[in-house]
Amino acid sequence: MASNTFSSLHSFLFFFFFFFLFLSKSLADIAPSTPITPTTACNSTPDPRFCKSVLPTTGSSNLYDYGRFSVRRSLSVARRFTALVDGYLKHSSSLTQTAIRALEDCKLLSELNTDFLSSAASTINSTNTLQTMQTDDVQTLLSAILTNQQTCLDGLQATSSAWSIKNSLYTPLSNGTRLFSVSLALFTHAWAPKQKKVKRPHSHTGRNLSPLQIDRLSLAKFKTGRKLLQSSTPNSVVVRDIVVVAQDGSGNYTNIQDAVAAAPNNTKNNDGYFLIYVEAGVYEEYVSIAKNKMNIMMLGDGINQTVITGNRSVVDGWTTFNSATFAVVGQRFVAVNITFRNTAGPAKHQAVAVRNGADLSAFYSCSFEGYQDTLYTHSLRQFYRNCDIYGTVDFIFGNAAVVFQNCNLYARLPMQGQTNVFTAQGRTDPNQNTGTSIHNCRVSAAADLAAATNGSTKTYLGRPWKEYSRTVYMQSFIDGVVDPSGWLPWSGDFALATLYYAEYNNTGPGSGTDMRVNWTGYHVINAIDASNFTVSNFLLGDSWLAPTGVPFGSSLL
């Protein structure tokens, strides 16, 4: 009897082992075109139970079909949420201005989600095969809708009034986020490659384009109102039209927002840039470049020569999202030779100089000046080259896929008792293709912090704003202002096992890793891993940065 019992147990364990292997194989190795049950498909998502409540309960389909179904359902949910927020805004007479601003943020973000999901659905509806850039496009859009959801939620939670609205929006907002996460997971497993084709590190900088070339002879003709199409010489920038902003009235406009309003709507990539040349001066205005204002290039006369400045802050009743002096959503935006400021000061807490949610955008030779939350790299794909960024608390934050290259990051003197943190990256989902890559930059103290004699200010490379926060410093100079531990917790052990923080081949007195944090998510990486976070691999920048004329290095030094 004992022998038979042992034999039966052995057979059961044998069956269970191979059944488990089959399940594992179904999650990772089965071809996306193979019919599978909803349960098997959902096992590849962060929330299988919710996923199974979303997908059809009968029959079987393949991952492609489940992905399309989920994206279609997500689009319907995004439209309903926009209508819900619209309804509250139409009856907002009893709300505070802060609550109205939070709702307006949610409306803008939900409208963007509808656009992004429509675009994603259009791309995947007719094919199981996507080009590399198409795959990255869709994954980027699906990543951004989760960021938009989180931003809406953060704004509502920070609003001290209108509890009934917050409570009534929380459930549809939360369920929408869970559904969008399912869509991203199913798309990633079906269409995105299991591992990107990584270019191996080279001993040179890769593809370095010459600095942005704008024909100065053409600049001299600006005031005549002539249109210009630059020649198709290598590295030239194609410009469809040019307007001048000059405070003395000698240009086409005296303020920047009027020039933005004059730009044509929904231009195509190959139409060329609408170039706004902003002459030297201090422009006290709030500039917003909407989603339909695409392919705008803004050229100033240099850092501290052309200055755009404002002072909105959370303390004064703005959400972090709409506290920005300069906000851009229209894709393929390029800014060159401009200083962006928020002068609210450290006592006003969150006060954004630039909020960037423009896909395939680039800033070159620009300066960003503020204290807490200076540069909001909100979402989508971004690149910064030869820029200066000044701040105190979390002063580079957001959830874009962004590379900073050859930039200067300056920690300023904060309020007494405050801690400086260079980055607070906001990735909320393991399938988002987002993160902050700091490559060949200089990380140091600004003049006011360097001159402080008490030496009591602690300064850190970053802290995890959200659960899957991802930040990499590589081949950068890190000065002694950075605490030897390098990184700061957000709250207790939140995200310490799920974040991804990494350092590679940095130099300087603050670059030593012997005393760094021992978190599960912290890594000292090699060249192969670091290559994943280069312009070429992380942003696929070789395919879209060249037409901007902004110089860039594709790979590691």
Side-chain angles (χ1 to χ4, degrees):
M1 187 68 176
S3 175
N4 289 338
T5 302
F6 177 80
S7 177
S8 299
L9 179 61
H10 182 270
S11 297
F12 172 78
L13 291 174
F14 184 81
F15 169 80
F16 180 81
F17 174 73
F18 280 96
F19 178 73
F20 177 79
L21 282 182
F22 174 77
L23 272 182
S24 300
K25 179 179 175 61
S26 68
L27 297 182
D29 302 318
I30 287 181
S33 58
T34 302
I36 54 176
T37 65
T39 298
T40 300
C42 288
N43 283 338
S44 65
T45 68
D47 190 347
R49 180 176 296 181
F50 179 80
C51 174
K52 283 185 280 188
S53 74
V54 169
L55 296 185
T57 56
T58 59
S60 63
S61 297
N62 60 42
L63 272 178
Y64 295 123
D65 294 330
Y66 289 132
R68 293 187 185 101
F69 176 90
S70 181
V71 168
R72 288 195 301 270
R73 186 157 180 175
S74 293
L75 178 57
S76 176
V77 166
R79 286 171 174 158
R80 288 201 300 270
F81 186 75
T82 301
L84 182 62
V85 174
D86 258 336
Y88 282 115
L89 283 171
K90 288 175 181 176
H91 303 88
S92 61
S93 57
S94 62
L95 298 177
T96 65
Q97 186 62 50
T98 302
I100 292 172
R101 286 168 178 160
L103 285 170
E104 288 172 341
D105 291 350
C106 289
K107 179 182 177 181
L108 168 64
L109 294 162
S110 188
E111 289 172 343
L112 287 172
N113 283 352
T114 300
D115 292 343
F116 294 166
L117 285 162
S118 295
S119 179
S122 177
T123 301
I124 67 176
N125 272 349
S126 59
T127 181
N128 293 346
T129 305
L130 299 178
Q131 300 294 325
T132 300
M133 193 64 186
Q134 287 179 304
T135 301
D136 200 61
D137 287 345
V138 175
Q139 191 173 14
T140 296
L141 294 176
L142 296 180
S143 295
I145 65 173
L146 288 171
T147 303
N148 291 344
Q149 292 285 105
Q150 186 64 52
T151 304
C152 171
L153 179 61
D154 289 344
L156 291 172
Q157 288 180 331
T159 304
S160 58
S161 62
W163 284 102
S164 62
I165 289 180
K166 286 191 286 185
N167 290 337
S168 62
L169 288 179
Y170 179 80
T171 296
L173 188 60
S174 175
N175 287 339
T177 299
R178 296 165 78 188
L179 175 59
F180 301 159
S181 176
V182 169
S183 294
L184 175 60
L186 293 174
F187 172 82
T188 300
H189 284 271
W191 277 274
K194 299 299 181 290
Q195 187 173 4
K196 285 186 176 182
K197 293 181 179 179
V198 176
K199 288 187 175 181
R200 296 310 184 214
H202 302 290
S203 58
H204 55 80
T205 58
R207 183 175 187 177
N208 271 301
L209 298 180
S210 59
L212 182 67
Q213 298 175 14
I214 298 293
D215 186 343
R216 288 291 163 178
L217 179 61
S218 298
L219 287 177
K221 298 176 182 176
F222 278 178
K223 294 177 185 178
T224 68
R226 291 180 57 184
K227 291 185 178 181
L228 169 71
L229 182 66
Q230 287 184 249
S231 63
S232 57
T233 56
N235 302 339
S236 66
V237 177
V238 178
V239 178
R240 62 175 292 157
D241 208 348
I242 303 171
V243 297
V244 178
V245 179
Q247 291 178 318
D248 63 5
S250 62
N252 304 98
Y253 303 96
T254 57
N255 67 75
I256 299 167
Q257 190 63 54
D258 284 349
V260 171
N265 295 334
N266 300 315
T267 57
K268 297 179 181 178
N269 298 342
N270 57 4
D271 287 342
Y273 287 104
F274 184 87
L275 195 153
I276 301 173
Y277 172 51
V278 186
E279 291 189 356
V282 177
Y283 295 81
E284 297 182 9
E285 60 174 301
Y286 297 95
V287 179
S288 180
I289 300 178
K291 64 182 181 181
N292 62 340
K293 298 296 183 180
M294 305 173 182
N295 301 300
I296 288 180
M297 178 177 287
M298 194 170 290
L299 175 66
D301 275 328
I303 291 176
N304 294 329
Q305 298 300 309
T306 297
V307 179
I308 305 173
T309 184
N311 62 2
R312 290 175 177 170
S313 69
V314 167
V315 170
D316 288 336
W318 300 89
T319 63
T320 301
F321 186 79
N322 61 33
S323 70
T325 301
F326 189 97
V328 55
V329 178
Q331 68 177 4
R332 295 185 184 273
F333 174 78
V334 179
V336 184
N337 295 340
I338 299 173
T339 290
F340 303 92
R341 285 183 185 148
N342 190 313
T343 60
K348 293 298 180 74
H349 298 288
Q350 296 95 331
V352 176
V354 167
R355 187 192 82 234
N356 185 7
D359 197 22
L360 308 176
S361 57
F363 286 76
Y364 174 52
S365 190
C366 290
S367 181
F368 306 85
E369 300 176 10
Y371 288 86
Q372 183 171 349
D373 290 3
T374 302
L375 177 56
Y376 195 172
T377 57
H378 181 261
S379 55
L380 304 166
R381 293 164 291 193
Q382 308 178 17
F383 179 66
Y384 298 77
R385 170 83 177 209
N386 291 19
C387 291
D388 299 333
I389 305 105
Y390 296 83
T392 54
V393 180
D394 305 336
F395 64 93
I396 299 171
F397 75 113
N399 194 25
V402 55
V403 174
F404 293 88
Q405 194 172 80
N406 295 29
C407 293
N408 298 305
L409 281 53
Y410 294 112
R412 304 177 88 168
L413 184 66
M415 291 191 300
Q416 187 173 3
Q418 279 190 323
T419 296
N420 282 338
V421 186
F422 282 94
T423 65
Q425 206 281 328
R427 187 165 169 253
T428 60
D429 190 285
N431 291 303
Q432 287 178 306
N433 61 352
T434 55
T436 298
S437 173
I438 296 171
H439 182 208
N440 195 32
C441 293
R442 184 176 183 87
V443 180
S444 61
D448 57 353
L449 180 60
T453 57
N454 58 18
S456 61
T457 300
K458 293 276 193 177
T459 300
Y460 298 89
L461 296 173
R463 62 174 179 160
W465 183 27
K466 304 298 181 184
E467 188 173 2
Y468 293 93
S469 183
R470 181 160 65 175
T471 303
V472 178
Y473 286 80
M474 53 193 196
Q475 297 181 317
S476 294
F477 177 87
I478 301 177
D479 212 342
V481 67
V482 173
D483 188 85
S485 62
W487 307 83
L488 182 69
W490 184 270
S491 178
D493 62 358
F494 169 75
L496 301 189
T498 51
L499 60 78
Y500 183 90
Y501 287 167
E503 298 181 55
Y504 167 70
N505 201 25
N506 298 304
T507 60
S511 66
T513 58
D514 290 346
M515 297 178 66
R516 289 294 196 251
V517 295
N518 61 356
W519 307 337
T520 303
Y522 170 73
H523 310 274
V524 177
I525 57 177
N526 59 28
I528 299 299
D529 292 333
S531 293
N532 287 301
F533 300 96
T534 60
V535 166
S536 180
N537 292 316
F538 196 49
L539 299 182
L540 299 186
D542 294 323
S543 63
W544 62 270
L545 273 171
T548 70
V550 173
F552 66 94
S554 292
S555 55
L556 297 174
L557 299 176

